[in-house]
Amino acid sequence: MEINVKAPWRPFLGEVPFTLEYSEKTMCNKVIETAEKYPDYIAYDFMGKKTTYKTAVEDIRTCARALKALGVKPDERVTICLPNCPQAITMFYAVNLIGAIANMIHPLSSEQEILFYLNDSKSVAAITLDRFYGKFAAIVSDAPHLKNLIITSIRDGLSPVMKLGYDLTEAKKVKKIPKDADILRWTAFMKLGSAFAGEYAVPRRREDAAVILYSGGTTGTNKGILLSNYNFNALGAQIVATNPMFSAGDKMLAIMPMFHGFGLGVSIHSMLVNGGRCVLVPQFTPKTYAELLGKHHPNFIAGVPTLFEALLRIDGLEKLDLSCLKGVFSGGDSLSAELKKRFDAFLKAHKATIEVREGYGTTECVTASCLTPTTIAKEGSIGIPFPDTYYKIVSPGTQDEVPYGEEGEICLTGPTMMIEYVNHPEETANTLQHHSDGLTWVHTGDLGVMDSDGYIYFRQRIKRMIVTSGYNVYPSQLENILDKNEYVHLSCVIGVKDPYKMQKVKAFVVLKPGYEPSDSIKTELLDYCRKNIAKYAMPYDIEFRGELPKTLVGKVAYRVLEEEESGKTA
């Protein structure tokens, strides 16, 4: 269905359709449909073990029966606190098959964060790894809704040969769980499913709630974002439509975690509803990531900019052959023009015939909703909207659209738009606003620009904007300038409280390999800044760091730096 909203990007779509047909099925039933079409294709690889679509669906059905045997009802929440492993995929789709809602959280969350997620979602069951049992044991008595805690191990997803190796090495590092612990082991849980003979699959509509993902949202406060079957299946259709080079059987290196919209939506679900093959990576370092690229020869990789930045720092990759790549996607954070140039050169030097395509999205729309097209890329742009997705730029705090080229708040609408923020009706109303054009739009809290061709340019989180002496300063613009300097590998710019200016600008810099922090380099960098940055936006100081703090998904954690500086002034 076409909508009467301006879409100046339409001439730049190339092979990509402007509008698509979307499935009426649930997420799991869409995967089952794919399995019927490609039963012997590999659905996922995990540390050497390959699982076909046919086997994957059999496991999902057994798991769904087990959940039913435990008494999990439609619309109840099940917390999945796992890395990228087969059990996470099996549980995710099994929860969907019985009409319950998957509450996805990061296994490295703290005890109090896990308690918040369990209680906020009112989860009746949870699954985690044996190595994280202690965190759950410490807080489970304060989670009144939780009836069942299922414990699995990385071992449960391995081949027999790999299990032997695991038992000799990794198993010894995992603290023993008390024999009287009130838990259900994965093998016993799946046996429950094998023995259960009743009805288990629950008919659901595509609009029904299916997943909760946690995000700071547009205000920075942690909230559950409720998403539907339709949201995820629409994304699966859009991802393939915007990548016409995709073929069933193509491999995606799935390193972005499943608790994150980017990992779950792009690297997992979009692959599994289109016959793709996920190479599941439970944890990695930049070095092991480079080894995975050489070992698996993936066709698609997706990551945050800091991941690509880390790859550029690794020595000994001269023989790495990346001619297998059909698509490299950057999202989750701003990709500086300089980092893009450097990584594109890295790809070319390793026989890749493609360049990084930058995308933009919000968890309120699962993940990406805008991507650099294969037709024309514009420097600094995050691309053009996906099929059936519309963007507009409004004056912040209003619904008034601004002219092309003028900065304002990014708003978007489309089939991946969330249902609501869980337990936050007021914030839902502030973010999902009904406009005079008859559509509901997500107000992202991000500043950006749309040019007359419909290309979008991300500027900054509205909340991250620095106001100094009455001037607006955008950290990402200063970071772009710093990253172009010959000494600089990575930078982060923050605002520091100041009694006269309100805020003053401070830069943190990681130097390129071969350079050591020194007063002379700092002086040169400050001189460089004076030539390229307006006087009111000049950093008052540059601090050198060996690494910058990262969030759980690998973004630069600028808030950590802000808190550090705030602590100093306090």
Side-chain angles (χ1 to χ4, degrees), residues 402-534:
V402 300
Y404 295 135
E406 192 171 307
E407 192 172 275
E409 183 180 11
I410 298 172
C411 294
L412 63 118
T413 188
T416 58
M417 189 166 56
M418 72 173 183
I419 298 170
E420 65 179 13
Y421 290 124
V422 178
N423 306 324
H424 289 275
E426 191 174 325
E427 286 201 40
T428 300
N430 288 337
T431 299
L432 297 181
Q433 295 188 26
H434 199 66
H435 287 202
S436 58
D437 54 21
L439 300 175
T440 299
W441 294 77
V442 174
H443 282 243
T444 64
D446 289 337
L447 290 172
V449 172
M450 182 191 292
D451 69 18
S452 57
D453 293 332
Y455 280 70
I456 315 297
Y457 299 79
F458 172 81
R459 290 290 184 254
Q460 197 71 57
R461 294 288 300 169
I462 289 174
K463 295 284 182 182
R464 199 187 167 199
M465 184 175 71
I466 300 167
V467 180
T468 179
S469 301
Y471 292 99
N472 293 345
V473 174
Y474 302 115
S476 59
Q477 293 178 0
L478 303 193
E479 288 159 4
N480 273 332
I481 291 167
L482 278 165
D483 288 352
K484 288 179 181 176
N485 186 275
E486 62 180 313
Y487 293 126
V488 177
H489 185 71
L490 186 66
S491 65
C492 182
V493 171
I494 65 166
V496 178
K497 284 184 181 178
D498 184 84
Y500 302 107
K501 297 181 176 181
M502 280 183 62
Q503 288 179 297
K504 55 186 178 179
V505 178
K506 181 171 181 178
F508 294 82
V509 162
V510 176
L511 294 174
K512 286 179 182 173
Y515 295 110
E516 292 296 326
S518 67
D519 289 341
S520 61
I521 287 182
K522 182 187 277 196
T523 300
E524 282 190 56
L525 277 175
L526 287 168
D527 288 343
Y528 167 81
C529 288
R530 289 186 193 96
K531 291 175 184 173
N532 292 280
I533 294 172

Side-chain angles (χ1 to χ4, degrees), residues 155-356:
R155 186 184 191 280
D156 294 325
L158 299 175
S159 65
V161 173
M162 289 295 284
K163 280 180 181 176
L164 285 174
Y166 182 86
D167 291 342
L168 292 169
T169 54
E170 296 302 311
K172 295 174 182 176
K173 301 175 187 175
V174 179
K175 190 176 178 182
K176 289 275 189 277
I177 296 174
K179 288 183 179 178
D180 61 348
D182 187 13
I183 62 168
L184 186 57
R185 295 273 186 180
W186 177 255
T187 47
F189 168 73
M190 291 295 273
K191 281 178 183 174
L192 275 180
S194 298
F196 184 80
E199 287 294 320
Y200 63 96
V202 175
R204 302 286 275 176
R205 298 170 307 149
R206 71 177 189 175
E207 293 84 6
D208 288 332
V211 182
I212 297 172
L213 298 176
Y214 280 87
S215 169
T218 57
T219 60
T221 311
N222 212 2
K223 294 175 292 296
I225 292 170
L226 191 63
L227 298 155
S228 68
N229 290 288
Y230 179 47
N231 295 155
F232 276 87
N233 286 342
L235 177 72
Q238 291 172 333
I239 291 295
V240 167
T242 52
N243 291 280
M245 68 293 286
F246 173 86
S247 299
D250 279 351
K251 291 188 219 174
M252 166 73 87
L253 195 56
I255 58 165
M256 293 299 292
M258 280 186 68
F259 79 93
H260 190 265
F262 198 7
L264 182 61
V266 175
S267 300
I268 304 290
H269 187 67
S270 291
M271 289 295 105
L272 295 181
V273 294
N274 290 294
R277 177 173 174 171
C278 307
V279 179
L280 301 176
V281 183
Q283 69 179 102
F284 70 96
T285 63
K287 188 175 186 303
T288 57
Y289 182 57
E291 290 167 359
L292 288 164
L293 288 172
K295 179 180 178 182
H296 291 284
H297 306 290
N299 306 108
F300 295 95
I301 57 174
V304 292
T306 50
L307 175 65
F308 301 130
E309 167 265 324
L311 266 180
L312 294 175
R313 300 170 73 178
I314 298 172
D315 294 323
L317 299 184
E318 294 80 14
K319 294 181 181 178
L320 182 62
D321 184 347
L322 297 178
S323 58
C324 53
L325 289 173
K326 296 182 178 182
V328 177
F329 311 107
S330 177
D333 208 350
S334 287
L335 177 71
S336 72
E338 185 60 24
L339 178 55
K340 175 172 164 46
K341 284 177 188 172
R342 285 161 54 209
F343 199 74
D344 284 342
F346 173 85
L347 290 171
K348 188 176 180 180
H350 292 86
K351 302 181 183 175
T353 56
I354 45 93
E355 295 185 346
V356 181

Side-chain angles (χ1 to χ4, degrees), residues 18 42 48 76 84 121 128 142 153 155 209 230 244 248-249 293 313 342 354 359 363 366 463:
F18 184 65
I42 303 300
E76 288 187 328
N84 292 359
S121 64
T128 193
D142 295 322
S153 164
R155 186 184 191 280
Y230 179 47
L293 288 172
R313 300 170 73 178
R342 285 161 54 209
I354 45 93
T363 314
V366 186
K463 295 284 182 182

